[in-house]
Short mmCIF file of all heavy atoms in Angstrom, two decimals:
data_model
loop_
_atom_site.label_atom_id
_atom_site.label_comp_id
_atom_site.label_asym_id
_atom_site.label_seq_id
_atom_site.Cartn_x
_atom_site.Cartn_y
_atom_site.Cartn_z
N SER K 1329 -4.36 -1.75 18.25
CA SER K 1329 -3.18 -2.61 18.15
C SER K 1329 -3.21 -3.46 16.88
O SER K 1329 -2.16 -3.85 16.36
CB SER K 1329 -3.09 -3.52 19.38
OG SER K 1329 -4.19 -4.43 19.43
N ALA K 1330 -4.41 -3.75 16.38
CA ALA K 1330 -4.51 -4.56 15.16
C ALA K 1330 -4.33 -3.72 13.91
O ALA K 1330 -4.00 -4.25 12.84
CB ALA K 1330 -5.88 -5.26 15.13
N TYR K 1331 -4.54 -2.41 14.01
CA TYR K 1331 -4.36 -1.52 12.87
C TYR K 1331 -2.92 -1.04 12.72
O TYR K 1331 -2.45 -0.77 11.61
CB TYR K 1331 -5.26 -0.28 13.00
CG TYR K 1331 -6.71 -0.51 12.67
CD1 TYR K 1331 -7.64 -0.79 13.67
CD2 TYR K 1331 -7.16 -0.43 11.36
CE1 TYR K 1331 -8.99 -0.99 13.37
CE2 TYR K 1331 -8.50 -0.62 11.05
CZ TYR K 1331 -9.40 -0.90 12.05
OH TYR K 1331 -10.73 -1.09 11.74
N THR K 1332 -2.21 -0.92 13.83
CA THR K 1332 -0.87 -0.33 13.82
C THR K 1332 0.08 -0.98 12.81
O THR K 1332 0.84 -0.27 12.13
CB THR K 1332 -0.26 -0.38 15.23
OG1 THR K 1332 -1.11 0.32 16.13
CG2 THR K 1332 1.11 0.25 15.25
N PRO K 1333 0.08 -2.33 12.64
CA PRO K 1333 1.01 -2.92 11.66
C PRO K 1333 0.82 -2.42 10.24
O PRO K 1333 1.76 -2.51 9.44
CB PRO K 1333 0.70 -4.43 11.76
CG PRO K 1333 0.18 -4.61 13.16
CD PRO K 1333 -0.61 -3.37 13.44
N MET K 1334 -0.36 -1.87 9.90
CA MET K 1334 -0.59 -1.37 8.55
C MET K 1334 0.39 -0.27 8.18
O MET K 1334 0.61 -0.01 6.99
CB MET K 1334 -2.02 -0.86 8.40
CG MET K 1334 -3.09 -1.93 8.29
SD MET K 1334 -2.92 -3.01 6.83
CE MET K 1334 -3.16 -1.83 5.51
N ARG K 1335 0.98 0.36 9.16
CA ARG K 1335 1.88 1.47 8.86
C ARG K 1335 3.18 1.02 8.19
O ARG K 1335 3.95 1.86 7.71
CB ARG K 1335 2.17 2.28 10.12
CG ARG K 1335 0.94 2.97 10.71
CD ARG K 1335 1.32 4.20 11.52
NE ARG K 1335 2.14 3.90 12.65
CZ ARG K 1335 1.71 3.79 13.91
NH1 ARG K 1335 0.41 3.94 14.19
NH2 ARG K 1335 2.54 3.55 14.89
N PHE K 1336 3.40 -0.30 8.11
CA PHE K 1336 4.60 -0.77 7.42
C PHE K 1336 4.49 -0.53 5.91
O PHE K 1336 5.50 -0.63 5.19
CB PHE K 1336 4.81 -2.27 7.71
CG PHE K 1336 4.23 -3.21 6.68
CD1 PHE K 1336 5.04 -3.88 5.78
CD2 PHE K 1336 2.85 -3.44 6.61
CE1 PHE K 1336 4.52 -4.76 4.83
CE2 PHE K 1336 2.32 -4.31 5.67
CZ PHE K 1336 3.16 -4.97 4.78
N VAL K 1337 3.30 -0.22 5.41
CA VAL K 1337 3.10 -0.06 3.97
C VAL K 1337 4.08 0.95 3.39
O VAL K 1337 4.69 0.71 2.34
CB VAL K 1337 1.64 0.35 3.67
CG1 VAL K 1337 1.49 0.84 2.23
CG2 VAL K 1337 0.69 -0.82 3.91
N MET K 1338 4.26 2.09 4.06
CA MET K 1338 5.18 3.11 3.56
C MET K 1338 6.44 3.19 4.41
O MET K 1338 7.17 4.18 4.37
CB MET K 1338 4.49 4.47 3.50
CG MET K 1338 3.33 4.53 2.51
SD MET K 1338 3.80 4.13 0.81
CE MET K 1338 4.56 5.68 0.29
N GLY K 1339 6.71 2.14 5.16
CA GLY K 1339 7.90 2.09 5.99
C GLY K 1339 9.09 1.51 5.24
O GLY K 1339 9.02 1.16 4.05
N TRP K 1340 10.19 1.38 5.94
CA TRP K 1340 11.44 0.92 5.34
C TRP K 1340 11.29 -0.50 4.80
O TRP K 1340 10.97 -1.43 5.53
CB TRP K 1340 12.57 0.98 6.37
CG TRP K 1340 13.88 0.45 5.86
CD1 TRP K 1340 14.52 -0.68 6.27
CD2 TRP K 1340 14.69 1.03 4.82
NE1 TRP K 1340 15.69 -0.84 5.57
CE2 TRP K 1340 15.82 0.20 4.68
CE3 TRP K 1340 14.57 2.17 4.02
CZ2 TRP K 1340 16.82 0.47 3.75
CZ3 TRP K 1340 15.57 2.43 3.10
CH2 TRP K 1340 16.68 1.59 2.97
N GLN K 1341 11.53 -0.68 3.50
CA GLN K 1341 11.41 -1.96 2.81
C GLN K 1341 10.10 -2.65 3.14
O GLN K 1341 10.03 -3.87 3.37
CB GLN K 1341 12.62 -2.85 3.13
CG GLN K 1341 13.92 -2.29 2.59
CD GLN K 1341 15.08 -3.27 2.61
OE1 GLN K 1341 15.02 -4.33 3.21
NE2 GLN K 1341 16.17 -2.90 1.94
N GLY K 1342 9.04 -1.87 3.13
CA GLY K 1342 7.72 -2.38 3.44
C GLY K 1342 6.94 -2.77 2.19
O GLY K 1342 7.51 -3.11 1.15
N TYR K 1343 5.62 -2.67 2.30
CA TYR K 1343 4.74 -3.12 1.22
C TYR K 1343 4.95 -2.29 -0.05
O TYR K 1343 4.80 -2.80 -1.16
CB TYR K 1343 3.29 -3.02 1.69
CG TYR K 1343 2.29 -3.71 0.80
CD1 TYR K 1343 2.30 -5.10 0.65
CD2 TYR K 1343 1.31 -2.98 0.13
CE1 TYR K 1343 1.38 -5.74 -0.15
CE2 TYR K 1343 0.37 -3.61 -0.67
CZ TYR K 1343 0.41 -4.99 -0.81
OH TYR K 1343 -0.50 -5.62 -1.61
N PHE K 1344 5.30 -1.02 0.11
CA PHE K 1344 5.59 -0.18 -1.06
C PHE K 1344 6.70 -0.80 -1.89
O PHE K 1344 6.60 -0.88 -3.13
CB PHE K 1344 5.98 1.23 -0.61
CG PHE K 1344 6.25 2.18 -1.75
CD1 PHE K 1344 5.23 2.94 -2.30
CD2 PHE K 1344 7.53 2.31 -2.29
CE1 PHE K 1344 5.47 3.81 -3.36
CE2 PHE K 1344 7.78 3.18 -3.34
CZ PHE K 1344 6.75 3.93 -3.88
N ASP K 1345 7.78 -1.23 -1.26
CA ASP K 1345 8.89 -1.85 -1.98
C ASP K 1345 8.45 -3.14 -2.67
O ASP K 1345 8.85 -3.42 -3.80
CB ASP K 1345 10.04 -2.16 -1.03
CG ASP K 1345 10.99 -0.98 -0.87
OD1 ASP K 1345 10.57 0.15 -1.18
OD2 ASP K 1345 12.13 -1.19 -0.45
N VAL K 1346 7.65 -3.94 -1.98
CA VAL K 1346 7.20 -5.22 -2.54
C VAL K 1346 6.38 -5.00 -3.81
O VAL K 1346 6.49 -5.76 -4.78
CB VAL K 1346 6.37 -5.99 -1.48
CG1 VAL K 1346 5.52 -7.09 -2.12
CG2 VAL K 1346 7.28 -6.59 -0.43
N GLN K 1347 5.58 -3.93 -3.83
CA GLN K 1347 4.70 -3.69 -4.96
C GLN K 1347 5.33 -2.83 -6.06
O GLN K 1347 4.89 -2.89 -7.21
CB GLN K 1347 3.41 -3.01 -4.48
CG GLN K 1347 2.50 -3.93 -3.66
CD GLN K 1347 1.79 -4.96 -4.54
OE1 GLN K 1347 2.40 -5.78 -5.20
NE2 GLN K 1347 0.47 -4.91 -4.56
N GLU K 1348 6.32 -2.04 -5.72
CA GLU K 1348 6.88 -1.11 -6.71
C GLU K 1348 8.27 -1.51 -7.24
O GLU K 1348 8.55 -1.35 -8.42
CB GLU K 1348 6.94 0.30 -6.12
CG GLU K 1348 5.58 0.88 -5.73
CD GLU K 1348 4.67 1.17 -6.92
OE1 GLU K 1348 5.10 1.04 -8.07
OE2 GLU K 1348 3.49 1.52 -6.69
N GLU K 1349 9.14 -2.00 -6.38
CA GLU K 1349 10.50 -2.32 -6.83
C GLU K 1349 10.55 -3.40 -7.91
O GLU K 1349 11.39 -3.34 -8.81
CB GLU K 1349 11.37 -2.75 -5.64
CG GLU K 1349 11.75 -1.61 -4.70
CD GLU K 1349 12.81 -0.67 -5.27
OE1 GLU K 1349 13.46 -1.04 -6.27
OE2 GLU K 1349 12.97 0.43 -4.73
N PRO K 1350 9.67 -4.41 -7.92
CA PRO K 1350 9.72 -5.41 -8.99
C PRO K 1350 9.03 -4.95 -10.28
O PRO K 1350 9.07 -5.67 -11.27
CB PRO K 1350 8.96 -6.62 -8.40
CG PRO K 1350 8.74 -6.30 -6.96
CD PRO K 1350 8.72 -4.82 -6.85
N GLY K 1351 8.37 -3.78 -10.26
CA GLY K 1351 7.59 -3.33 -11.40
C GLY K 1351 8.39 -2.50 -12.38
O GLY K 1351 9.61 -2.36 -12.28
N ASP K 1352 7.68 -1.91 -13.34
CA ASP K 1352 8.32 -1.19 -14.44
C ASP K 1352 8.41 0.31 -14.20
O ASP K 1352 8.71 1.07 -15.12
CB ASP K 1352 7.56 -1.45 -15.74
CG ASP K 1352 6.11 -0.97 -15.67
OD1 ASP K 1352 5.66 -0.51 -14.61
OD2 ASP K 1352 5.41 -1.09 -16.70
N MET K 1353 8.18 0.74 -12.97
CA MET K 1353 8.12 2.17 -12.68
C MET K 1353 9.29 2.63 -11.83
O MET K 1353 9.98 3.59 -12.17
CB MET K 1353 6.79 2.47 -11.97
CG MET K 1353 6.40 3.93 -11.91
SD MET K 1353 4.80 4.16 -11.08
CE MET K 1353 3.69 3.20 -12.09
N PHE K 1354 9.54 1.97 -10.71
CA PHE K 1354 10.61 2.38 -9.79
C PHE K 1354 11.85 1.52 -9.96
O PHE K 1354 11.76 0.30 -10.13
CB PHE K 1354 10.12 2.29 -8.34
CG PHE K 1354 9.32 3.48 -7.91
CD1 PHE K 1354 7.94 3.48 -8.07
CD2 PHE K 1354 9.93 4.59 -7.36
CE1 PHE K 1354 7.19 4.58 -7.68
CE2 PHE K 1354 9.18 5.69 -6.97
CZ PHE K 1354 7.80 5.68 -7.13
N VAL K 1355 13.01 2.17 -9.89
CA VAL K 1355 14.30 1.48 -9.92
C VAL K 1355 15.19 2.10 -8.85
O VAL K 1355 15.20 3.32 -8.68
CB VAL K 1355 14.98 1.63 -11.30
CG1 VAL K 1355 16.28 0.82 -11.31
CG2 VAL K 1355 14.06 1.18 -12.43
N THR K 1356 15.91 1.26 -8.12
CA THR K 1356 16.88 1.76 -7.14
C THR K 1356 18.26 1.29 -7.58
O THR K 1356 18.70 0.18 -7.27
CB THR K 1356 16.56 1.24 -5.73
OG1 THR K 1356 15.22 1.60 -5.38
CG2 THR K 1356 17.51 1.84 -4.70
N PRO K 1357 18.97 2.13 -8.34
CA PRO K 1357 20.29 1.74 -8.86
C PRO K 1357 21.41 2.05 -7.87
O PRO K 1357 21.22 2.78 -6.88
CB PRO K 1357 20.42 2.61 -10.11
CG PRO K 1357 19.68 3.86 -9.75
CD PRO K 1357 18.55 3.45 -8.83
N THR K 1358 22.59 1.52 -8.15
CA THR K 1358 23.78 1.90 -7.39
C THR K 1358 24.13 3.35 -7.74
O THR K 1358 24.14 3.73 -8.91
CB THR K 1358 24.96 0.98 -7.75
OG1 THR K 1358 24.62 -0.37 -7.43
CG2 THR K 1358 26.21 1.38 -6.96
N ARG K 1359 24.43 4.14 -6.70
CA ARG K 1359 24.76 5.56 -6.88
C ARG K 1359 26.07 5.86 -6.16
O ARG K 1359 26.58 5.01 -5.40
CB ARG K 1359 23.62 6.43 -6.36
CG ARG K 1359 22.29 6.21 -7.09
CD ARG K 1359 21.26 7.23 -6.68
NE ARG K 1359 19.94 6.95 -7.22
CZ ARG K 1359 19.51 7.37 -8.41
NH1 ARG K 1359 20.31 8.09 -9.18
NH2 ARG K 1359 18.29 7.09 -8.84
N PRO K 1360 26.63 7.05 -6.37
CA PRO K 1360 27.90 7.39 -5.71
C PRO K 1360 27.85 7.27 -4.19
O PRO K 1360 28.90 7.06 -3.57
CB PRO K 1360 28.14 8.84 -6.16
CG PRO K 1360 27.45 8.96 -7.47
CD PRO K 1360 26.22 8.10 -7.34
N ASN K 1361 26.66 7.43 -3.60
CA ASN K 1361 26.58 7.33 -2.14
C ASN K 1361 26.16 5.94 -1.69
O ASN K 1361 25.77 5.74 -0.54
CB ASN K 1361 25.60 8.36 -1.59
CG ASN K 1361 24.17 8.17 -2.10
OD1 ASN K 1361 23.96 7.60 -3.16
ND2 ASN K 1361 23.20 8.65 -1.34
N GLY K 1362 26.18 4.96 -2.61
CA GLY K 1362 25.86 3.59 -2.21
C GLY K 1362 24.63 3.04 -2.90
O GLY K 1362 24.49 3.11 -4.12
N TRP K 1363 23.74 2.46 -2.11
CA TRP K 1363 22.48 1.88 -2.56
C TRP K 1363 22.63 0.52 -3.24
O TRP K 1363 21.66 0.03 -3.82
CB TRP K 1363 21.68 2.84 -3.45
CG TRP K 1363 21.06 3.93 -2.64
CD1 TRP K 1363 21.49 5.22 -2.53
CD2 TRP K 1363 19.93 3.81 -1.78
NE1 TRP K 1363 20.70 5.92 -1.65
CE2 TRP K 1363 19.72 5.07 -1.18
CE3 TRP K 1363 19.07 2.77 -1.45
CZ2 TRP K 1363 18.69 5.31 -0.26
CZ3 TRP K 1363 18.04 3.00 -0.56
CH2 TRP K 1363 17.86 4.25 0.04
N ASP K 1364 23.81 -0.10 -3.14
CA ASP K 1364 23.87 -1.49 -3.58
C ASP K 1364 23.19 -2.38 -2.54
O ASP K 1364 22.45 -3.29 -2.88
CB ASP K 1364 25.32 -1.94 -3.77
CG ASP K 1364 25.39 -3.37 -4.28
OD1 ASP K 1364 25.06 -3.59 -5.46
OD2 ASP K 1364 25.74 -4.26 -3.49
N ASP K 1365 23.45 -2.07 -1.25
CA ASP K 1365 22.78 -2.76 -0.13
C ASP K 1365 22.76 -4.28 -0.30
O ASP K 1365 21.71 -4.93 -0.12
CB ASP K 1365 21.36 -2.23 0.03
CG ASP K 1365 21.31 -0.82 0.58
OD1 ASP K 1365 22.36 -0.17 0.60
OD2 ASP K 1365 20.22 -0.37 0.99
N GLY K 1366 23.92 -4.82 -0.63
CA GLY K 1366 24.01 -6.27 -0.77
C GLY K 1366 23.24 -6.82 -1.95
O GLY K 1366 22.97 -8.03 -2.02
N GLY K 1367 22.85 -5.95 -2.88
CA GLY K 1367 22.15 -6.40 -4.08
C GLY K 1367 20.66 -6.57 -3.91
O GLY K 1367 19.98 -7.06 -4.82
N THR K 1368 20.11 -6.13 -2.77
CA THR K 1368 18.68 -6.38 -2.50
C THR K 1368 17.77 -5.74 -3.54
O THR K 1368 16.79 -6.35 -3.98
CB THR K 1368 18.31 -5.93 -1.08
OG1 THR K 1368 16.94 -6.25 -0.84
CG2 THR K 1368 18.50 -4.42 -0.89
N TYR K 1369 18.08 -4.50 -3.96
CA TYR K 1369 17.20 -3.83 -4.92
C TYR K 1369 17.39 -4.38 -6.34
O TYR K 1369 16.44 -4.42 -7.12
CB TYR K 1369 17.44 -2.33 -4.89
CG TYR K 1369 17.12 -1.74 -3.54
CD1 TYR K 1369 18.13 -1.26 -2.70
CD2 TYR K 1369 15.82 -1.70 -3.06
CE1 TYR K 1369 17.85 -0.76 -1.45
CE2 TYR K 1369 15.52 -1.20 -1.81
CZ TYR K 1369 16.54 -0.73 -1.01
OH TYR K 1369 16.25 -0.24 0.24
N LYS K 1370 18.59 -4.81 -6.66
CA LYS K 1370 18.81 -5.44 -7.96
C LYS K 1370 18.05 -6.75 -8.05
O LYS K 1370 17.46 -7.08 -9.09
CB LYS K 1370 20.31 -5.65 -8.19
CG LYS K 1370 21.10 -4.36 -8.36
CD LYS K 1370 22.57 -4.64 -8.58
CE LYS K 1370 23.34 -3.33 -8.75
NZ LYS K 1370 23.31 -2.50 -7.52
N ARG K 1371 18.06 -7.52 -6.97
CA ARG K 1371 17.30 -8.78 -6.98
C ARG K 1371 15.81 -8.51 -7.18
O ARG K 1371 15.12 -9.26 -7.88
CB ARG K 1371 17.54 -9.55 -5.68
CG ARG K 1371 18.92 -10.17 -5.57
CD ARG K 1371 19.01 -11.17 -4.44
NE ARG K 1371 18.80 -10.56 -3.14
CZ ARG K 1371 19.75 -10.00 -2.39
NH1 ARG K 1371 21.00 -9.96 -2.84
NH2 ARG K 1371 19.48 -9.48 -1.21
N MET K 1372 15.31 -7.45 -6.56
CA MET K 1372 13.89 -7.11 -6.74
C MET K 1372 13.63 -6.71 -8.19
O MET K 1372 12.61 -7.10 -8.78
CB MET K 1372 13.49 -5.98 -5.80
CG MET K 1372 13.50 -6.36 -4.32
SD MET K 1372 12.27 -7.61 -3.88
CE MET K 1372 10.80 -6.59 -3.70
N HIS K 1373 14.52 -5.95 -8.79
CA HIS K 1373 14.34 -5.51 -10.17
C HIS K 1373 14.45 -6.67 -11.15
O HIS K 1373 13.66 -6.78 -12.10
CB HIS K 1373 15.39 -4.44 -10.52
CG HIS K 1373 15.28 -3.93 -11.92
ND1 HIS K 1373 14.24 -3.14 -12.35
CD2 HIS K 1373 16.08 -4.11 -13.01
CE1 HIS K 1373 14.39 -2.84 -13.63
NE2 HIS K 1373 15.51 -3.42 -14.06
N PHE K 1374 15.41 -7.56 -10.91
CA PHE K 1374 15.63 -8.68 -11.83
C PHE K 1374 14.70 -9.87 -11.56
O PHE K 1374 14.73 -10.85 -12.29
CB PHE K 1374 17.09 -9.15 -11.74
CG PHE K 1374 18.08 -8.15 -12.25
CD1 PHE K 1374 19.22 -7.85 -11.51
CD2 PHE K 1374 17.89 -7.50 -13.46
CE1 PHE K 1374 20.16 -6.94 -11.98
CE2 PHE K 1374 18.82 -6.58 -13.93
CZ PHE K 1374 19.95 -6.30 -13.19
N HIS K 1375 13.91 -9.80 -10.50
CA HIS K 1375 13.05 -10.92 -10.07
C HIS K 1375 13.91 -12.14 -9.72
O HIS K 1375 13.56 -13.28 -10.06
CB HIS K 1375 12.02 -11.27 -11.14
CG HIS K 1375 11.03 -10.19 -11.41
ND1 HIS K 1375 9.92 -10.37 -12.21
CD2 HIS K 1375 10.95 -8.90 -10.98
CE1 HIS K 1375 9.21 -9.24 -12.27
NE2 HIS K 1375 9.84 -8.33 -11.52
#
Side-chain angles (χ1 to χ4, degrees):
S1329 65
Y1331 283 96
T1332 302
M1334 285 298 296
R1335 296 206 297 261
F1336 95 106
V1337 167
M1338 295 302 281
W1340 177 248
Q1341 295 193 348
Y1343 192 66
F1344 182 90
D1345 272 20
V1346 162
Q1347 290 286 61
E1348 299 292 353
E1349 288 286 345
D1352 61 356
M1353 195 179 301
F1354 278 90
V1355 184
T1356 305
T1358 300
R1359 298 188 188 272
N1361 62 335
W1363 285 103
D1364 182 72
D1365 288 14
T1368 183
Y1369 298 110
K1370 293 180 180 64
R1371 288 193 297 273
M1372 293 295 278
H1373 180 70
F1374 293 133
H1375 296 189

